Amino acid sequence: MIASPQPVEPFDLVIFGGTGDLAVRKLLPALYHRFIDGQIPEASRIIGIAREGLDDDGYRAMLRKALLEGGGDAARIDAFLRQVAYRSLDARKDEGWDEFAKLIGEQPDHVRVFYLSTSPELFVDICDRLGGHGLNQGKARVVLEKPIGRDLASANRINDAVGRVFDESQTFRIDHYLGKETVQNLLALRFGNALFEPLWNAEHIDHVQITVAETLGVGQRAGYYDHAGALRDMVQNHILQLLCMVAMEPPSSLQPDAVRDEKLKVLRSLKPIDESNAAQMTVRGQYRAGAAEGQSVPGYLEELAGGKSNTETFVALKAEIANWRWAGVPFYLRTGKRLPERVSEIAVVFKAVPHSIFDASAGVLAQNRLVLRLQPDEDIKLWLTIKHPGPGGLRLRHVPLDMSFAEAFGVQQPDAYERLLLDVVRGNPTLFMRRDEVEAAWRWADPILDAWAASGEQPRPYTAGTWGPSAAVALIERDGRTWNEESGD
């Protein structure tokens, strides 16, 4: 049985950076799909904001083209776009802001969502102007896209400035990975089944792997990426949030702060990685020319138009959590650009049976694994050892119990942004990061960045289309383990 969509209050959703890649490729399509399912009230308004000198018709034409290319229905797209408008504003200039405030004021009872899909350098200017025009009052909310700062100090400056205009209950720091169906199903698996939670500890789990791999290079994001790198872009936010969902203690309920309190405890329990151990616990790499998806591709430095850069496009880490549940269980984390396949997954690897009763001729007795795939196709696999059917002696096989969400429920799963955008409208912050979570994540990540800078070492080169530097393999194999790369099985 498919759950019916829950209605929301009429709202005004304003997207700063409304002509940008995220807005056109993700946010507007997500809202379009919620419109199709009848979740966007007729009185709601969606307003794109950018510096380009477009009018409503020009903006709608741009979105119509993008939605049609995404497989949308022309008639439904046109109906959706009647709720979409555009205003040209510059966050650092006064022109147009009075008129914009008047437009928003036409619907004083609406929920107001201001989505800052811009460079973090503009967060403060935009919030100051929203506050100056009184748009932070009533049912107003602000959504901050990652990265929030590039270290703890800059994150605090942004959070302080935003906090002077919007209080914490109005502030939604988005991480779209937390909106993915598989991540939320991790909660259901752990806390809704008697099977897993008794085994979810150091006594039964050997290690955990979290992989976020991309086949693409930096492309049009080269300018941003060279000032960020893989640790800031992916590990400090997405991957640490996934780690928290795996490792947190059972919350007392699904109330927002109950869940976020437990995630914060995990972040604060991470063992430090700094100059004393970064060389042993981390690997960073940078891709060179190679092949991706059957085509020759340039290296990172070529995509930067030459020159030198010590920015990492790949990182692998061995993280450890210093608490009773996870003491001695390593969490191997890796992410990178120009890897062999696009895949995001969590692999929970259980300990081997303490004694095998089977002869060597039966085959290898493999460890049980629970693999949660986030993308490209969301599914859950529990790998078990069984007897191969048929006569001829006992032969062991390692096979998955496989549950694909699309096949099991007969519907395409909503994009993460579809869920998260409407959670903001509802005022539900469960799947968003609280300020103290952001601070705790930066407190762990900053010493790693400092250690890399102090070492003076360049990122290790790896060929595009491979799984990163060979040192990343050594990181896990010196512990007698291997990376999970059976995604095609």
Side-chain angles (χ1 to χ4, degrees):
M1 180 177 179
I2 305 301
S4 58
Q6 298 177 352
V8 297
E9 292 183 64
F11 61 86
D12 290 342
L13 197 153
V14 181
I15 303 173
F16 288 89
T19 58
D21 181 67
L22 176 64
V24 175
R25 190 170 54 89
K26 289 290 187 181
L27 303 182
L28 271 303
L31 292 166
Y32 166 69
H33 287 115
R34 291 303 88 213
F35 172 83
I36 290 175
D37 279 357
Q39 279 193 281
I40 296 184
E42 187 175 350
S44 296
R45 300 181 296 179
I46 299 162
I47 303 169
I49 303 289
R51 289 182 297 182
E52 285 87 344
L54 297 172
D55 58 12
D56 288 348
D57 289 339
Y59 188 56
R60 289 168 182 159
M62 181 183 73
L63 298 180
R64 189 177 195 275
K65 179 175 182 291
L67 292 170
L68 283 172
E69 290 173 351
D73 174 77
R76 288 178 168 181
I77 290 172
D78 290 338
F80 167 68
L81 291 177
R82 285 194 282 272
Q83 294 185 247
V84 176
Y86 179 83
R87 293 295 182 272
S88 178
L89 289 178
D90 188 322
R92 291 173 172 160
K93 295 182 180 179
D94 293 334
E95 289 82 1
W97 279 89
D98 288 339
E99 292 80 1
F100 171 67
K102 183 178 179 181
L103 173 68
I104 299 300
E106 291 173 358
Q107 300 288 353
D109 296 329
H110 277 199
V111 172
R112 299 172 181 173
V113 176
F114 301 105
Y115 196 117
L116 308 194
S117 178
T118 68
S119 165
E121 287 77 21
L122 295 177
F123 288 0
V124 175
D125 295 289
I126 294 171
C127 288
D128 283 346
R129 292 191 182 277
L130 291 173
H133 287 83
L135 299 178
N136 58 336
Q137 305 301 313
K139 293 181 284 189
R141 286 134 204 183
V142 64
V143 182
L144 306 182
E145 261 290 341
K146 66 94 178 172
I148 299 174
R150 52 181 288 108
D151 53 24
L152 178 60
S154 58
N156 281 340
R157 285 195 295 272
I158 291 172
N159 281 322
D160 286 343
V162 172
R164 288 193 289 269
V165 180
F166 295 92
D167 65 37
E168 185 65 23
S169 67
Q170 295 176 290
T171 305
F172 291 73
R173 298 172 188 85
I174 194 166
D175 185 333
H176 72 274
Y177 270 61
L178 294 184
K180 291 183 178 292
E181 195 71 32
T182 315
V183 175
Q184 294 173 79
N185 253 295
L186 182 55
L187 293 176
L189 275 173
R190 283 190 61 187
F191 307 129
N193 297 284
L195 176 64
F196 289 112
E197 186 56 25
L199 307 178
W200 212 260
N201 53 56
E203 185 176 353
H204 299 286
I205 291 177
D206 180 77
H207 71 281
V208 177
Q209 299 179 28
I210 301 176
T211 295
V212 179
E214 300 178 79
T215 56
L216 297 175
V218 292
Q220 299 300 315
R221 299 177 72 221
Y224 154 75
Y225 199 90
D226 200 50
H227 289 89
L231 188 81
R232 290 186 177 95
D233 188 50
M234 294 298 297
V235 176
Q236 183 272 338
N237 39 75
H238 294 329
I239 292 181
L240 284 188
Q241 285 294 309
L242 297 180
L243 182 150
C244 287
M245 298 294 279
V246 173
M248 70 181 188
E249 294 296 318
S252 59
S253 70
L254 283 182
Q255 290 299 310
D257 281 333
V259 174
R260 298 193 293 182
D261 285 347
E262 297 304 332
K263 290 198 295 172
L264 179 63
K265 291 176 185 177
V266 174
L267 291 169
R268 289 177 172 172
S269 298
L270 286 168
K271 285 187 177 181
I273 299 177
D274 53 28
E275 289 187 48
S276 68
N277 61 353
Q280 293 76 43
M281 306 293 279
T282 71
V283 174
R284 59 182 184 138
Q286 188 183 92
Y287 62 83
R288 301 292 188 259
E293 299 178 329
Q295 295 184 338
S296 296
V297 295
Y300 177 70
L301 296 181
E302 286 78 20
E303 290 188 324
L304 284 180
K308 295 182 179 180
S309 172
N310 64 351
T311 298
E312 78 284 355
T313 62
F314 174 94
V315 62
L317 304 99
K318 178 182 176 181
E320 296 177 300
I321 301 171
N323 64 21
W324 278 39
R325 181 183 288 265
W326 296 110
V329 178
F331 283 69
Y332 298 100
L333 319 176
R334 65 173 172 171
T335 184
K337 301 281 189 183
R338 290 295 188 210
L339 300 183
E341 60 180 302
R342 175 177 174 261
V343 59
S344 296
E345 68 179 22
I346 301 165
V348 179
V349 183
F350 293 86
K351 289 186 176 180
V353 295
H355 170 68
S356 174
I357 65 171
F358 304 102
D359 294 333
S361 60
V364 176
L365 193 60
Q367 292 167 262
N368 299 123
R369 282 177 292 143
L370 179 66
V371 181
L372 300 99
R373 172 74 68 85
L374 282 68
Q375 62 183 25
D377 302 310
E378 298 189 68
D379 65 18
I380 297 173
K381 293 180 181 179
L382 177 61
W383 290 79
L384 302 172
T385 297
I386 65 165
K387 175 190 175 292
H388 192 288
L394 193 152
R395 292 170 293 156
L396 301 176
R397 289 249 347 244
H398 197 51
V399 298
L401 296 178
D402 190 355
M403 197 280 283
S404 162
F405 292 114
E407 293 178 7
F409 296 102
V411 294
Q412 185 66 37
Q413 291 301 315
D415 180 81
Y417 283 106
E418 296 180 40
R419 176 177 295 103
L420 295 175
L421 287 170
L422 294 194
D423 274 356
V424 178
V425 174
R426 296 186 185 100
N428 180 0
T430 305
L431 298 176
F432 298 81
M433 290 181 287
R434 208 165 55 192
R435 174 173 179 165
D436 48 10
E437 288 183 74
V438 175
E439 292 172 351
W442 276 123
R443 284 195 183 95
W444 184 75
D446 274 0
I448 301 174
L449 294 165
D450 292 342
W452 289 347
S455 74
E457 295 180 3
Q458 294 291 310
R460 299 170 186 264
Y462 65 96
T463 303
T466 66
W467 282 106
S470 59
V473 177
L475 175 73
I476 189 169
E477 290 196 348
R478 66 173 173 247
D479 294 339
R481 303 177 175 105
T482 58
W483 290 109
N484 182 61
E485 292 172 5
E486 296 180 283
S487 54
D489 290 347

